[in-house]
């Protein structure tokens, strides 16, 4: 299986409890059909990546992703998935669930608090970034689990960037995270442009909507699946 644990995730995966992955383009998948069919074709690979990490695919928790700034707390049991109307998910430090966000030019943002173990994944495209979804995610983490932004680590996934897009999404995300109280040295940008490498990534803009979806994953490694 391809390496879906790239170097920009090293700071997260340096913590033995973390399972952070970014599943990129899957060779041989027809992306000319509708979104649901493409996701269905990608699912076996996505589930294989989870199983490689010892995570049952049934533990995957996803957001509906409506380009909002809404955030949901998820866990090992609870509501149906994907969670309607939200674009970011977070959980406590003992939940065995795995957070998942689909992207194909928008940024996925991993947020981790080593103090509480709380982890989050946000979908931050143009509209979500304009609505400051990463700050809303940190605010929710603080409200529920008393997470302090100064303790957190954030990683910004490959996403579309200038000159292929008129909005510099990752730069704005970094500013929003810093303004929310994160240390700039703890904000890691992959610095990769999805529109510039269609051999590796899916790009909604460059492929005119006929594309697949990358999957950002953020789970917890337990003694049972280590």
């Amino acid at each position: 299986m391809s390496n879906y644990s790239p170097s920009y995730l090293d700071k997260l995966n340096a913590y033995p409890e973390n399972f952070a992955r970014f599943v990129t383009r899957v060779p041989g998948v027809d992306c000319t059909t509708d979104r649901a069919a493409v996701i269905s074709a990608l699912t076996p690979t996505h589930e294989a990546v989870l199983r490689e990490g010892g995570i049952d695919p049934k533990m995957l928790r996803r957001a509906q992703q409506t380009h909002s700034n809404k955030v949901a707390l998820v866990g090992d049991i609870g509501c149906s998935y994907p969670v309607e109307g939200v674009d970011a998910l977070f959980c406590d430090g003992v939940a065995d669930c795995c957070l998942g966000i689909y992207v194909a030019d928008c940024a996925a943002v991993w947020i981790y608090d080593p103090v509480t173990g709380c982890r989050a994944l946000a979908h931050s495209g143009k509209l979500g970034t304009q609505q400051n979804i990463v700050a809303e995610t940190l605010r929710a983490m603080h409200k529920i689990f008393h997470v302090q932004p100064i303790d957190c680590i954030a990683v910004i996934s490959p996403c579309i960037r200038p000159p292929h897009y008129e909005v510099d999404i990752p730069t704005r995300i970094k500013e929003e995270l810093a303004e929310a109280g994160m240390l700039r040295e703890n904000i890691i940008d992959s610095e990769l442009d999805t529109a510039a490498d269609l051999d590796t990534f899916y790009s909604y803009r460059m492929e005119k909507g006929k594309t697949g979806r990358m999957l950002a994953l953020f789970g917890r490694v337990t003694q049972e699946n280590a």
Side-chain angles (χ1 to χ4, degrees), residues 28-181:
V29 172
D30 179 10
C31 296
T32 61
T33 55
D34 64 72
R35 181 182 186 276
V38 174
I39 293 293
S40 179
L42 291 170
T43 296
T45 298
H46 294 167
E47 291 186 348
V49 174
L50 288 167
R51 291 193 181 96
E52 244 185 16
I55 297 171
D56 187 334
K58 291 180 181 178
M59 299 303 289
L60 181 64
R61 305 290 183 251
R62 295 195 301 100
Q64 185 184 14
Q65 301 184 208
T66 59
H67 298 279
S68 72
N69 65 349
K70 305 301 182 186
V71 185
L73 171 64
V74 296
D76 294 343
I77 57 174
C79 60
S80 59
Y81 301 95
V83 183
E84 291 185 3
V86 306
D87 282 77
L89 304 171
F90 71 110
C91 63
D92 64 26
V94 297
D96 291 335
C97 64
C98 185
L99 311 179
I101 290 290
Y102 286 128
V103 288
D105 277 341
C106 296
V109 184
W110 294 258
I111 302 175
Y112 180 62
D113 174 24
V115 177
T116 65
C118 182
R119 61 186 187 270
L121 257 182
H123 166 243
S124 191
K126 178 181 178 181
L127 294 178
T129 303
Q130 287 175 345
Q131 298 173 83
N132 209 345
I133 188 167
V134 290
E136 291 297 325
T137 303
L138 283 166
R139 189 173 294 114
M141 295 167 74
H142 174 75
K143 181 178 180 180
I144 304 298
F145 298 122
H146 309 293
V147 168
Q148 302 300 319
I150 197 170
D151 296 326
C152 291
I153 298 163
V155 179
I156 303 168
S157 77
C159 60
I160 196 166
R161 300 161 188 260
H164 296 106
Y165 197 54
E166 60 275 11
V167 178
D168 194 334
I169 292 171
T171 293
R172 291 191 60 174
I173 291 172
K174 285 183 278 190
E175 291 302 317
E176 290 167 4
L177 289 167
E179 288 170 5

Side-chain angles (χ1 to χ4, degrees), residues 179-199:
E179 288 170 5
M182 283 194 61
L183 299 175
R184 289 186 184 273
E185 57 263 36
N186 287 338
I187 303 170
I188 300 149
D189 184 0
S190 65
E191 299 184 350
L192 296 171
D193 183 355
T194 48
D197 184 1
L198 297 184
D199 289 333

